[in-house]
Amino acid sequence: MSPLPADLAGQASLSEEEVRYICERAAAIESAAGGVPQDVEWAIARDLPFPDSVFFLQHRPETTWTSEPPAGQDAETAKPAFDPVQYALRNVFKVPGT
């Protein structure tokens, strides 16, 4: 393994357009799955034009951030589940209405 070249270290891996597209599609996948948070896996083929370059490989119910409340704590007083897609839309991309 070799270190990341310095000229690449400061560059974003994804464009804003790619991130927005992935977030929108991940939200649509979650909606199609009945609103259940999903762990979505995707890949980008850099030799194809956007958006044909984005491939959604699989999804499954997310289990890390949406686990049951700790023993002795009911769902109403438990901390709300963290939703990484909603976090990105609200805080990173400032998408209105999210």
Side-chain angles (χ1 to χ4, degrees), residues 14-94:
L14 300 172
S15 70
E16 183 173 329
E17 183 180 39
E18 289 168 330
V19 173
R20 286 182 182 276
Y21 181 81
I22 291 167
C23 288
E24 289 167 359
R25 295 309 175 273
I29 290 168
E30 181 177 306
S31 179
V36 175
Q38 299 290 301
D39 179 5
V40 179
E41 294 183 16
W42 49 268
I44 294 182
R46 291 287 176 210
D47 58 337
L48 295 175
F50 177 80
D52 296 337
S53 58
V54 181
F55 292 87
F56 290 87
L57 307 174
Q58 67 176 343
H59 69 91
R60 61 186 164 274
E62 188 277 316
T63 58
T64 302
W65 298 104
T66 58
S67 60
E68 294 295 319
Q73 192 174 26
D74 64 23
E76 289 185 18
T77 61
K79 181 180 171 188
F82 176 76
D83 182 337
V85 171
Q86 288 300 316
Y87 178 87
L89 291 173
R90 285 187 194 120
N91 301 297
V92 178
F93 297 104
K94 312 286 190 222

